[in-house]
Amino acid sequence: MQTQTRRSFFGKMAAMAAVLTNLPRVFALQAAPGTAPGGDGPRRSGAGNHTHNGIYYFSGTGSNDGYPKDDHVLVTDPFEKHVTRTMDALKRSVERAGCTMDSIINLQVFLCLPLADGIPMPTGKARFDAHKAQYDALNKIYGTYFSPGKAPSRACMALEWIPGDSLIEVVGSAMVVTPPPSTPSAGE
């Protein structure tokens, strides 16, 4: 059975409204789910990563990216494990693109508390304290991935949920320092 996404649901609802009211389809320009990066389709590691004018742009790197299904972490695993695996995945990604961790220009870091049965979601000051504990744990590990004084500018935000059972996700850009060898296309 195929899972229906919100985009698909609202697209179908708009189509039904158009049929019933004899009006043009309201959401005619929507892409089909899973056809565009950032859509509601299946999440693929590195799907939105690209290099433009010597800058490598990466998106959606989380704690399970680059790991086989049988080695995925769960939201119930320690936050520090999520951070370490995310930073390791980021390091592999930027190095494949010809960058280094020290050539990262900026990062946006998204954190979330575990949403799982049996784990109560803190409220009020307890919620603030839980996010602050994550932020402090992030900073202890984060700094070990950069040379002294080379950590990039960074924004850190708390969210309700991150795809892929990750408690952390990073997005950003890096300067390409050694372009990877280009692969010849078919017919060359």
Side-chain angles (χ1 to χ4, degrees):
M1 183 171 135
Q2 186 177 14
T3 303
Q4 296 298 316
T5 63
R6 287 176 301 213
R7 181 169 288 150
S8 175
F9 171 78
F10 286 112
K12 289 177 183 176
M13 295 306 292
M16 285 194 319
V19 168
L20 294 174
T21 60
N22 205 17
L23 295 173
R25 186 170 178 196
V26 177
F27 298 114
L29 296 178
Q30 282 187 340
T35 60
D40 288 336
R43 182 169 187 233
R44 294 182 304 134
S45 175
N49 299 352
H50 64 280
T51 301
H52 179 71
N53 289 338
I55 305 291
Y56 175 59
Y57 299 91
F58 49 90
S59 64
T61 302
S63 58
N64 287 318
D65 290 328
Y67 294 92
K69 279 270 193 213
D70 61 344
D71 189 26
H72 276 197
V73 293
L74 305 173
V75 295
T76 54
D77 286 330
F79 179 72
E80 293 80 3
K81 185 173 184 178
H82 285 263
V83 173
T84 300
R85 288 171 55 110
T86 299
M87 295 303 290
D88 288 345
L90 174 61
K91 187 173 192 276
R92 284 191 306 272
S93 175
V94 297
E95 287 174 352
R96 273 193 310 271
C99 308
T100 67
M101 292 298 283
D102 290 345
S103 75
I104 294 176
I105 300 166
N106 77 311
L107 283 175
Q108 295 175 14
V109 181
F110 303 94
L111 310 174
C112 75
L113 297 174
L115 291 172
D117 292 337
I119 299 178
M121 182 56 69
T123 59
K125 180 153 176 15
R127 188 177 186 115
F128 172 84
D129 291 343
H131 281 299
K132 177 73 169 95
Q134 282 185 324
Y135 184 75
D136 292 342
L138 165 70
N139 285 337
K140 285 180 184 170
I141 297 167
Y142 178 86
T144 66
Y145 283 83
F146 303 98
S147 299
K150 296 287 187 174
S153 65
R154 178 186 84 183
C156 191
M157 293 145 275
L159 304 174
E160 189 70 24
W161 173 80
I162 294 173
D165 288 335
S166 187
L167 298 179
I168 178 173
E169 186 167 296
V170 294
V171 175
S173 58
M175 261 197 303
V176 176
V177 292
T178 309
S182 60
T183 55
S185 60
E188 285 188 37

